Amino acid sequence: MALISRFKETHPNAFYLDGNDLPGLTEYLLTQGWLTPKHSIRCATKAGEGNMNKVLRVQLSDLESFIIKQSRPWVEKFPDIPAPADRANIEGLFYRETGKNSTIAAFSPALLHEDAESHILIVEDLGVGSDLTYLYRDGSTLEEGILANLLHYLSALHKNFTRQQCAFSIENRGMRELNAEHIFRFPFNADNGLNLDDITPGLAELGRQTREDSALMKQIAALELRYLQNGNTLLHGDFYPGSMIHTDEGIKVIDAEFCFFGDAEFDLGVLRAHLLMARQPESTLATIPRLYEKPAGFSETLYQQYTGIEIIRRLLGLAQLPIQLELAEKEALLEKARAMLVKN
């Protein structure tokens, strides 16, 4: 069945975003009041390499442009994987509320328009910038100023958006359960259909050793239960280099569809895990505890555990990264991650 037919079965009154249907997109934007009759669409092209959503850069006849994003009942890159269709609505709520804070607003795209029924967001076009996935390439080092800005963003988010301070709540239960599947379970399922040796010869054996480590599996199961609990702090939820882009106005943080109120340690642990996988120097890693403003009750143990599980799931799971690591380097990272999770 064509994807548009699948979508219309569950969303009969919603607009289906398609960059090849410019007349349909024009009519939709006119109906939404986002486009005026004096404007026309020059082109609508793919924006970025995001996995979750359909995202287009729309350029108008006067050369103005914006980003339009639609979330559908599946993962855009893997349509066979179901996903909550309302994730764009939740991301819109995140931008709307956090945008009231000047620090967060400075690092975020401006929210321009929402269509809850069609699960569509229109946001500011930040330009054709590059994300930070270049860090995974051999020899690339994160500039201290960029890391300082990212930690400034994260500190402001975690300090100013707690349950006690917020008149809104975000559980994002569906997206959290989807993420939990791919963090805590899929990488350790022997029959998940992923051939790790196709990624790195010898990695399948490391995967077998990992899933047969009973002490590690017990700790991972406990951490999953913790992750699925409602926490006190509003999180970005996917704070890794693919959600961070260079623009003419500096670094920006995008793609907050995994946001929820949880453990502050999760966001920070994900960031640290990716810096470790990107082989960043110790001096870069030392910047994290120096510049991140820890909220009250911050747990170093939980921070280590979230760092460890992010490393393991990225090396052994479906969400592979463009890293250039030999088997021995991956083995060393897996051993480091185990030590973070299991205290012997």
Side-chain angles (χ1 to χ4, degrees):
M1 181 186 296
L3 291 180
I4 187 171
S5 299
R6 282 176 54 189
F7 182 79
K8 288 297 185 179
E9 278 191 348
T10 54
H11 296 76
N13 299 317
F15 174 73
Y16 184 83
L17 183 62
D18 182 352
N20 295 317
D21 180 15
L22 294 188
L25 180 58
T26 299
E27 181 182 356
Y28 168 75
L29 293 172
L30 285 169
T31 301
Q32 288 290 308
W34 183 246
L35 202 64
T36 63
K38 68 178 183 178
H39 290 103
S40 61
I41 298 176
R42 294 186 64 193
C43 60
T45 56
K46 182 180 179 182
E49 297 298 326
N51 293 334
M52 288 299 304
N53 306 301
K54 182 70 174 181
V55 186
L56 298 175
R57 171 175 286 106
V58 178
Q59 189 174 75
L60 303 179
S61 53
D62 61 1
L63 301 185
E64 290 293 318
S65 63
F66 54 85
I67 301 297
I68 185 168
K69 166 190 286 194
Q70 182 173 49
S71 55
R72 296 165 178 168
W74 57 78
V75 176
E76 197 67 23
K77 186 175 181 179
F78 305 103
D80 291 336
I81 299 178
D86 66 349
R87 59 190 181 274
N89 308 42
I90 294 170
E91 183 177 5
L93 174 60
F94 178 93
Y95 289 140
R96 199 177 335 121
E97 294 295 338
T98 61
K100 298 172 184 177
N101 178 278
S102 60
T103 298
I104 303 302
F107 288 104
S108 305
L111 177 63
L112 304 176
H113 184 73
E114 299 175 80
D115 175 4
E117 183 176 41
S118 295
H119 309 307
I120 281 178
L121 297 181
I122 295 178
V123 299
E124 173 190 10
D125 184 2
L126 300 173
V128 186
S130 60
D131 62 31
L132 299 195
T133 55
Y134 69 85
L135 292 173
Y136 303 121
R137 297 194 290 271
D138 204 16
S140 299
T141 301
L142 181 61
E143 297 174 26
E144 183 172 346
I146 293 176
L147 180 55
N149 281 331
L150 291 171
L151 293 169
H152 184 45
Y153 167 93
L154 207 58
S155 297
L157 180 64
H158 292 173
K159 180 173 64 175
N160 293 294
F161 293 90
T162 64
R163 284 192 176 275
Q164 293 82 0
Q165 296 168 294
C166 296
F168 67 96
S169 178
I170 299 177
E171 285 198 19
N172 210 356
R173 181 61 54 185
M175 287 294 281
R176 220 188 314 177
E177 290 175 353
L178 175 65
N179 217 21
E181 166 66 28
H182 287 277
I183 295 173
F184 302 101
R185 280 171 267 147
F186 180 92
F188 316 111
N189 179 357
D191 301 319
N192 61 21
L194 184 63
N195 189 341
L196 294 174
D197 281 342
D198 286 345
I199 299 168
T200 303
L203 190 58
E205 173 58 21
L206 296 181
R208 182 193 65 78
Q209 293 173 13
T210 300
R211 67 175 174 268
E212 292 180 1
D213 185 333
S214 59
L216 177 60
M217 289 298 101
K218 181 179 179 180
Q219 186 56 55
I220 288 173
L223 192 60
E224 179 184 5
L225 292 177
R226 172 82 193 207
Y227 170 84
L228 289 171
Q229 292 176 3
N230 294 329
N232 187 58
T233 307
L234 181 60
L235 309 183
H236 176 275
D238 197 22
F239 202 66
Y240 88 112
S243 298
M244 307 156 184
I245 61 171
H246 286 287
T247 75
D248 291 340
E249 297 179 356
I251 200 73
K252 301 285 185 176
V253 180
I254 61 172
D255 293 344
E257 65 258 24
F258 283 99
C259 64
F260 68 100
F261 279 89
D263 295 323
E265 295 87 347
F266 179 77
D267 270 349
L268 197 67
V270 168
L271 174 62
R272 180 169 172 241
H274 285 265
L275 296 183
L276 284 166
M277 287 183 284
R279 293 189 279 197
Q280 295 300 292
E282 284 299 325
S283 58
T284 299
L285 294 167
T287 302
I288 298 177
R290 181 165 58 86
L291 296 183
Y292 174 72
E293 299 175 29
K294 298 177 184 176
F298 187 90
S299 167
E300 289 293 333
T301 297
L302 201 55
Y303 169 44
Q304 293 285 342
Q305 290 175 340
Y306 280 129
T307 302
I309 189 57
E310 179 67 9
I311 291 172
I312 294 174
R313 77 99 164 197
R314 289 290 187 170
L315 295 181
L316 302 181
L318 184 64
Q320 290 288 313
L321 302 167
I323 53 179
Q324 299 174 343
L325 300 175
E326 301 295 332
L327 181 65
E329 293 174 292
K330 291 186 176 183
E331 183 174 16
L333 278 170
L334 289 170
E335 290 175 354
K336 183 188 288 285
R338 185 191 187 280
M340 294 175 182
L341 282 151
V342 180
K343 302 301 180 183
N344 293 322

